[in-house]
């Protein structure tokens, strides 16, 4: 009886909305226990039923209704209807972009909720991983249909968007909000990520140089073999980086906390809105819905390029990554405003590192299994753009401080990149479907 009474006391403390105080609730529970055991059990069951009924509705409200960006969710089903009813690829592409945007942001939200239960370091890794889920799903669909250049350019655009646009907006808004003090972050961790990005540039550069200097031993085959070998090496390097970050040297990634009391107060105020099971469930649901919309998005790229009179390079490098990086964009700006720049760097630069050192090599290996000639030759224009962008970001990070002017420079650099790809024509005649050469 004592255990039942304690259980009912706990439930009544949390669940009875009409009770006025804790003392009153305990008196009511004692009276029920001594005089109305039957009705007490019935009421307990009704509370449990109410909890089971309202918890899913509360979860649906938080994920699908509460955020204003969810106003764009109906555009996803609308894009599917237009695909079957009209066949107008321009509108299907446009509405698919609008429909995927809130899904990408909600993926980031669910990941942040899960991070409350996993810790900061693992949470940052989860944020980068599920933040890149949209890009990976789109890349898998495009790779399955042999759209090699779309895969290459969309992943390249995601790296550029994270490094220049996302990080630039975060530095700019954080610098404006905290203009009275210098914002600092862990310089050592940022330099490790910069080194990995430069290694990725090296992996992309050699196949391109080998191809355009016509110095291959076997034309077309040596470049592909080098790409596959380099991809395996890059995957090993990224796995080593994860071990180094999570197990070997976790202290290297500890954040710089000048005002520890304020940060502790902020962490106490941050309370998860979803349970661990709810967060995992929503991650699965949102990822599935993104994968469905990604199929229609990829199918509409060719027709959208013709109907909108817009280069495929601009669509792949600029438009697709902006949508896919919605989660990183929102998270990075939010943490920069809160003066938590280490998390901002982990989201923006960590995501770029993951795409360049894991997603791109992974796509090469998957293409190898599929029989698709996916390689690391991103063409000279794209490779040169990535190389310059990595150098600019590395110089911005070397001091370990940020301000709004650095953010403004990164945003302006991204505008130059966007304008360049708008007037860029891919030298490859067959932009989309690449025939098997293996």
């Amino acid at each position: 009886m004592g255990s039942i009474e304690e259980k009912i006391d706990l439930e009544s403390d949390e669940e009875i909305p009409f009770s006025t105080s804790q003392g009153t609730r305990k008196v009511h529970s004692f009276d029920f226990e001594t005089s109305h055991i039957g009705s007490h059990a019935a009421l307990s069951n009704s509370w449990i039923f109410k909890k089971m009924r309202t918890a899913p509705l509360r979860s649906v409200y938080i994920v699908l209704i509460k955020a204003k960006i969810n106003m764009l969710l109906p555009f996803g089903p609308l894009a599917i209807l237009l695909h079957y009813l009209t066949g107008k690829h321009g509108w299907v592409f446009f509405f698919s972009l609008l429909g995927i945007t809130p899904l990408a942001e909600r993926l980031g939200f669910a990941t942040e909720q899960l991070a409350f239960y996993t810790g900061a370091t693992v949470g940052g890794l989860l944020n980068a991983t599920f933040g890149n889920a949209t890009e990976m799903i789109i890349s898998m669909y495009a790779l399955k249909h042999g759209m090699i250049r779309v895969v290459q350019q969309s992943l390249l655009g995601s790296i550029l968007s994270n490094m220049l646009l996302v990080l630039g907006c975060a530095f700019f808004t954080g610098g404006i909000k905290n203009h009275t003090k210098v914002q600092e972050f862990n310089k050592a961790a940022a330099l490790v990520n910069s080194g990995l990005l430069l290694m990725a540039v090296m992996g992309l550069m050699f196949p391109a140089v080998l191809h355009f200097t016509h110095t291959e031993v076997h034309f077309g085959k040596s470049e592909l073999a080098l790409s596959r070998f380099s991809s395996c090496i890059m995957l090993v390097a990224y796995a080593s980086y994860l071990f180094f970050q999570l197990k070997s040297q976790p202290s290297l990634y500890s954040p710089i906390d000048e005002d520890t009391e304020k940060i502790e107060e902020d962490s106490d105020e941050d309370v998860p809105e979803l349970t661990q099971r709810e967060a995992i469930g929503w991650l699965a649901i949102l990822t599935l819905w993104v994968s469905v919309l990604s199929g229609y998005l990829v199918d509409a790229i060719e027709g959208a390029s013709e109907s909108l009179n817009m280069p495929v390079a601009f669509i792949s490098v600029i438009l697709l990554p902006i949508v896919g990086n919605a989660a990183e964009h929102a998270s990075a700006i939010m943490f920069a405003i809160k003066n938590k720049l280490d998390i901002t760097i982990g989201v923006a630069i960590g995501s770029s590192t993951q795409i360049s050192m894991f997603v791109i090599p992974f796509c090469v290996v998957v293409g190898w299994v599929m029989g698709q000639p996916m390689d690391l030759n991103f063409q000279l224009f794209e490779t040169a753009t990535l190389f310059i962008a990595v150098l600019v970001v590395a110089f911005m990070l070397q001091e370990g401080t940020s301000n709004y002017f650095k953010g403004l420079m990164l945003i302006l650099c991204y505008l130059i990149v966007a304008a360049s790809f708008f007037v860029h024509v891919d030298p490859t005649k067959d932009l989309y479907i690449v025939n098997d050469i293996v």
Side-chain angles (χ1 to χ4, degrees), residues 9 108 123 182 235 239 256 280 289 293-294 297 304 322 350 356 395 407:
D9 284 341
V182 177
L235 289 174
I256 296 177
I280 294 173
W289 183 229
L293 276 184
S294 298
L297 181 69
I322 287 179
S356 59
F395 277 109

Side-chain angles (χ1 to χ4, degrees), residues 62-264:
I62 291 174
V63 177
L64 298 182
I65 301 176
K66 185 178 180 180
K68 294 181 179 179
I69 197 173
N70 289 330
M71 295 174 63
L72 299 176
L73 284 175
F75 287 105
L78 181 60
I80 298 176
L81 288 176
L82 289 176
H83 174 80
Y84 290 106
L85 296 179
T86 65
K88 294 183 178 180
H89 297 291
W91 287 108
V92 173
F93 178 80
F94 179 70
F95 287 138
S96 296
L97 279 180
L98 291 179
I100 287 180
T101 302
L103 295 177
E105 192 276 335
R106 292 289 85 186
L107 268 175
F109 170 77
T111 308
E112 290 173 7
Q113 295 299 304
L114 186 59
F116 279 104
Y117 306 97
T118 59
T121 304
V122 178
L125 180 61
L126 286 173
N127 203 324
T129 302
F130 281 96
N132 294 328
T134 306
E135 290 92 335
M136 284 197 68
I137 294 171
I138 293 175
S139 299
M140 291 299 104
Y141 271 98
L143 191 61
K144 183 179 179 181
H145 290 82
M147 304 166 71
I148 307 297
R149 290 297 291 153
V150 171
V151 176
Q152 292 176 334
Q153 290 175 340
S154 63
L155 293 178
L156 171 75
S158 185
I159 299 173
L160 295 174
S161 175
N162 277 307
M163 288 195 305
L164 299 177
L165 183 62
V166 174
L167 187 63
C169 290
F171 278 3
F172 183 78
T173 54
I176 295 294
K177 178 67 175 179
N178 304 276
H179 64 278
T180 58
K181 55 185 175 182
V182 177
Q183 290 188 291
E184 296 184 358
F185 53 86
N186 192 325
K187 181 170 65 175
L191 290 179
V192 170
N193 282 283
S194 299
L196 284 172
L197 288 172
L198 286 172
M199 180 181 177
V201 170
M202 184 178 69
L204 298 179
M205 182 174 291
F206 284 126
V209 172
L210 187 68
H211 175 79
F212 287 99
T213 56
H214 304 288
T215 55
E216 298 176 80
V217 176
H218 303 287
F219 183 76
K221 294 184 178 181
S222 298
E223 166 198 340
L224 187 60
L226 175 62
S227 297
R228 289 168 175 173
F229 176 79
S230 299
S231 297
C232 295
I233 297 298
M234 292 164 71
L235 289 174
V236 171
Y238 186 72
S240 303
Y241 162 70
L242 292 181
F243 177 79
F244 178 77
Q245 179 185 18
L246 300 176
K247 295 293 183 180
S248 178
Q249 300 288 337
S251 59
L252 179 66
Y253 293 85
S254 58
I256 296 177
D257 296 336
E258 292 182 356
D259 195 356
T260 53
E261 294 182 358
K262 183 176 180 181
I263 291 179
E264 288 178 359

